Amino acid sequence: MANPNPLFKPLTLPCGVVLKNRIAKSAMSDSLGDGTGHPTADQVTLYRRWADGGLAVSIIGEVQGGPGFAEKPGNLVLNANSDLARFRDLAAQGGQNGAQLWLQLGHAGALAYAPTSDPKGPSALDLPDLHCEGLSLEDIRKVPGEFAATARLAQQAGFGGVQIHAAHGFLLSQFLSPLFNKRQDTYGGGIDNRMRLVLETIQAVRDAVGPQFPIAIKLNSSDQLEGGLSADDALKVVAALDGSSIDLIDISGGTYFPGAKAASDGAGRGPYFLDFARRARAVTTKPLMVTGGFKTHAQAQAAVADGVADVVGLARAFVLEPSLPDLWQDGQTDTPTFPRFAHAPEGGITAWYTMGMTQIGAGRDLSAVGDMDQAIRDYDARDKRRTKTWLSHFHR
């Protein structure tokens, strides 16, 4: 009898929750919030579509605990002022068909969207393309509680779990990175201090949601920038996470530091971070999710079969084919057809895929996105509309 496909073997997380298979839609900023921090009908349709397509877990990127440090004006904001009923509908629809729908707990820090924010990071920075103030010690000590409050509301609204965002140059990633973190107190210096806020945040979230609610973390394998978080320091973070209550470590890499090229925009064939995952296996027994560069069934299956990854995270592939897990299980397709973009401007590919999610949510196919130039125009125009709504709603 042939061995079953390891991608479709259930996975029991340390908290006891069972994922029905090993395929996740990793977090993307879909920018489908309505500008007041609430879900839209299109967003609900999008996550229901992915759930119906057979994945185990889907993660909504960059859900904020407040309006002050959002990554985009289409981010969700979940706090005491939110209409929880609208989030409950999103949780219920995105959790159909045995899927888990998790919220990624976000705080953009120094990379907060300037038209709606006053960016602040671990340290003050004054660079040609990045200016921010430094957070006070009082501000820093509030962060774990803010993440915890959002996680508790996510649990109350019926979401299946949360992911703490400590990658891609957002706030917790900034604390880990010596490129952003120049502090001289207990939150700066060596990696033991730079990871302090991450560990405090995990503990606060766990205290808020109890022992049986999944908590994942997204972690950079490195910042892929000179002077940023190194792979060796990232491994020390992974080793520390082994002693925490984390249920899943999602390994990624790179940062949205101005001018930096995203790994996902490169021409490489991927997957990008399997070598780091192999090193991480030696320092943790926690389940590992690897995100970035998976394009084919063979790549995903090999990563799980070889024991490198317990879960594979795909993002853009799910925009191209929302039913990819079911198709893979039925042996109907191997690789979605990835478009090629010649000379795409910075952020252009992200804009195209973001507008692709918009079309799926609206019940249209990807042909409605148009070419790269059209996608960028539509993306920018929507941000401007949502910015006006955001500023009006949050009284800035």
Side-chain angles (χ1 to χ4, degrees), residues 26 39 83 92 101 117 124 130 185 201 210 251 300 302 349 378:
S26 56
D83 181 353
L101 183 59
S117 309
L130 180 61
D185 57 15
T201 300
I251 294 169
I349 297 176
D378 292 344

Side-chain angles (χ1 to χ4, degrees), residues 333-356:
T333 187
D334 181 57
T335 310
T337 302
F338 284 80
R340 293 183 175 274
F341 302 104
H343 310 297
E346 182 177 346
I349 297 176
T350 294
W352 191 91
Y353 278 96
T354 302
M355 298 315 297

Side-chain angles (χ1 to χ4, degrees), residues 14 28 33 37 66 69 78-79 147 190 231 246 265 286 290 315 320 328 353:
M28 293 183 281
F69 296 97
L78 180 55
N79 60 24
F147 274 70
I246 278 291
D265 287 352
K286 299 288 187 180
V290 183
L320 301 173
W328 278 357
Y353 278 96

Side-chain angles (χ1 to χ4, degrees), residues 7-368:
L7 282 175
F8 297 96
K9 179 181 178 181
L11 173 68
T12 303
L13 299 175
C15 66
V17 167
V18 178
L19 303 183
K20 71 175 187 178
N21 61 47
R22 309 302 183 93
I23 303 171
K25 196 288 295 178
S26 56
M28 293 183 281
S29 179
D30 59 54
S31 289
L32 280 172
D34 66 359
T36 74
H38 289 93
T40 59
D42 285 355
Q43 195 169 32
V44 172
T45 298
L46 174 67
Y47 285 91
R48 175 62 188 257
R49 179 73 180 83
W50 280 328
D52 288 343
L55 50 68
V57 61
S58 188
I59 306 172
I60 302 177
E62 283 295 312
V63 178
Q64 308 293 314
F69 296 97
E71 169 262 350
K72 281 285 187 179
N75 287 168
L76 298 182
V77 178
L78 180 55
N79 60 24
N81 297 318
S82 302
D83 181 353
L84 207 60
R86 296 174 67 180
F87 283 88
R88 287 194 177 102
D89 183 42
L90 175 60
Q93 294 300 315
Q96 294 292 313
N97 195 31
Q100 291 269 321
L101 183 59
W102 295 355
L103 298 187
Q104 183 186 67
L105 307 180
H107 186 309
L111 299 184
Y113 187 63
T116 62
S117 309
D118 295 315
K120 291 184 180 181
S123 307
L125 296 173
D126 190 8
L127 302 172
D129 296 313
L130 180 61
H131 176 82
C132 73
E133 300 176 22
L135 291 164
S136 68
L137 193 58
E138 181 182 4
D139 290 334
I140 293 169
R141 287 172 174 163
K142 291 178 181 177
V143 168
E146 292 168 354
F147 274 70
T150 305
R152 180 67 181 130
L153 287 169
Q155 185 181 44
Q156 292 174 3
F159 290 96
V162 293
Q163 182 186 75
I164 295 169
H165 197 355
H168 298 170
F170 296 116
L171 183 71
L172 295 181
S173 176
Q174 291 162 22
F175 271 88
L176 293 174
S177 173
L179 187 66
F180 287 92
N181 187 347
K182 311 292 184 183
R183 300 185 70 90
Q184 301 298 315
D185 57 15
T186 56
Y187 290 97
I191 187 60
D192 287 346
N193 279 355
R194 285 185 276 123
M195 75 171 82
R196 186 182 306 276
L197 185 59
V198 172
L199 297 178
E200 290 175 348
T201 300
I202 293 168
Q203 187 59 56
V205 171
R206 179 56 73 195
D207 290 345
V209 300
Q212 297 177 317
F213 190 70
I215 304 174
I217 187 167
K218 192 162 197 170
L219 180 71
N220 270 3
S221 55
S222 79
D223 288 347
Q224 300 181 336
L225 289 171
E226 184 176 352
L229 178 72
S230 68
D232 287 344
D233 275 357
L235 282 171
K236 293 176 183 176
V237 179
V238 172
L241 293 174
D242 193 60
S244 76
S245 60
I246 278 291
D247 293 296
L248 183 67
I249 302 171
D250 181 4
I251 294 169
S252 188
T255 176
Y256 292 110
F257 195 87
K261 188 174 181 62
S264 55
D265 287 352
R269 296 181 181 275
Y272 309 129
F273 307 114
L274 288 178
D275 287 344
F276 180 87
R278 289 187 181 93
R279 297 177 67 190
R281 278 291 186 207
V283 298
T284 187
T285 60
K286 299 288 187 180
L288 298 179
M289 173 173 161
V290 183
T291 293
F294 287 100
K295 292 181 170 64
T296 72
H297 179 205
Q299 290 170 342
Q301 182 171 323
V304 175
D306 293 347
V308 181
D310 297 291
V311 179
V312 291
L314 303 101
R316 292 175 175 176
F318 272 111
V319 180
L320 301 173
E321 180 44 77
S323 296
L324 197 60
D326 280 349
L327 293 172
W328 278 357
Q329 189 167 26
D330 293 342
Q332 294 183 36
T333 187
D334 181 57
T335 310
T337 302
F338 284 80
R340 293 183 175 274
F341 302 104
H343 310 297
E346 182 177 346
I349 297 176
T350 294
W352 191 91
Y353 278 96
T354 302
M355 298 315 297
M357 288 186 274
T358 301
Q359 301 308 329
I360 296 170
R364 296 186 288 263
D365 63 36
L366 291 183
S367 64

